[in-house]
């Protein structure tokens, strides 16, 4: 093999794929993007659910075997500090991550299947704002979590 030329010094420079959504948010907030951070940002950008660290790690390793779980932990903590992801707790004793660019929304957790459904409810948010205002506060965040079960279907005789 020949020595790589000066233009190919860095692996990051040879990755010509455009920055993922989350990577773009990281860059806007002044985070230095290493190769592993780019991978984790891409995994989060492509996730439509609320992965925990273990799941993020599994998805990241599928893209780059060099990613370590310690790096995933450090990166999600950093992304949380920067307001790029929000940490959620759906009552399972582990944190799940939700990109903040999905906007203000709430969650319904199906207690039988563990499925998480996102929803918005302007009337609820307005009520929450009113309650905070009555107590002399300005609402900055509200998280509604509904733990619910589908009613049993009556079987026809
Ligand atoms: Zn969510």
């Amino acid at each position: 093999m020949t020595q790589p030329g000066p233009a190919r010094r860095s692996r990051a420079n040879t990755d010509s794929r455009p920055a993922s959504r989350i990577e773009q948010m990281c860059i806007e907030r002044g985070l230095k993007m290493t190769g592993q951070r780019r991978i984790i940002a891409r995994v989060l950008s492509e996730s439509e659910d609320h992965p925990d660290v273990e799941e993020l790690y599994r998805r990241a390793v599928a893209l780059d075997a060099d990613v370590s779980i310690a790096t995933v932990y450090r990166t999600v903590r950093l992304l949380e500090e920067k307001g790029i992801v929000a940490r959620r707790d759906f009552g399972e004793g582990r944190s799940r991550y939700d990109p903040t660019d999905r906007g203000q929304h709430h969650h319904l957790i199906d207690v039988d299947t563990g499925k998480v459904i996102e929803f918005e409810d302007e009337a609820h948010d307005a009520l929450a704002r009113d309650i905070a205002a009555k107590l002399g506060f300005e609402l900055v965040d509200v998280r509604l979590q509904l733990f619910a079960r589908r009613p049993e279907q009556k079987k026809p005789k």
Side-chain angles (χ1 to χ4, degrees), residues 95-115:
S95 299
R96 311 261 222 121
Y97 292 91
D98 204 356
T100 54
D101 66 350
R102 288 185 189 166
Q104 172 68 39
H105 63 268
H106 306 293
H107 299 96
L108 181 144
I109 298 102
D110 183 325
V111 294
D112 292 321
T113 65
K115 189 175 190 265

Side-chain angles (χ1 to χ4, degrees), residues 49-50 88 90 97-99 102-103 105-107 116-119:
D49 52 353
H50 304 82
R88 308 288 188 198
F90 295 141
Y97 292 91
D98 204 356
R102 288 185 189 166
H105 63 268
H106 306 293
H107 299 96
V116 176
I117 297 164
E118 296 188 334
F119 66 94

Side-chain angles (χ1 to χ4, degrees), residues 44 101 121 134:
L44 276 165
D101 66 350
D121 192 311
K134 271 182 210 147

Side-chain angles (χ1 to χ4, degrees), residues 116-144:
V116 176
I117 297 164
E118 296 188 334
F119 66 94
E120 289 168 39
D121 192 311
E122 195 36 60
H124 172 273
D125 297 350
L127 177 64
R129 267 194 302 277
D130 285 351
I131 293 169
K134 271 182 210 147
L135 296 169
F137 286 81
E138 191 177 307
L139 192 71
V140 289
D141 192 15
V142 56
R143 299 173 183 193
L144 180 62

Side-chain angles (χ1 to χ4, degrees), residues 5 9 12 15 19 24 31 35 44 48 58-59 65 67 74-76 78 85 91-92 96 98 112 118 123 126 141:
R9 264 191 319 249
D15 185 352
Q24 198 58 50
L31 285 182
L44 276 165
E48 287 174 356
R58 268 191 292 276
R59 293 177 194 177
V67 175
R74 275 198 303 272
T75 304
V76 291
L78 189 64
V85 297
E92 313 149 298
R96 311 261 222 121
D98 204 356
D112 292 321
E118 296 188 334
D141 192 15

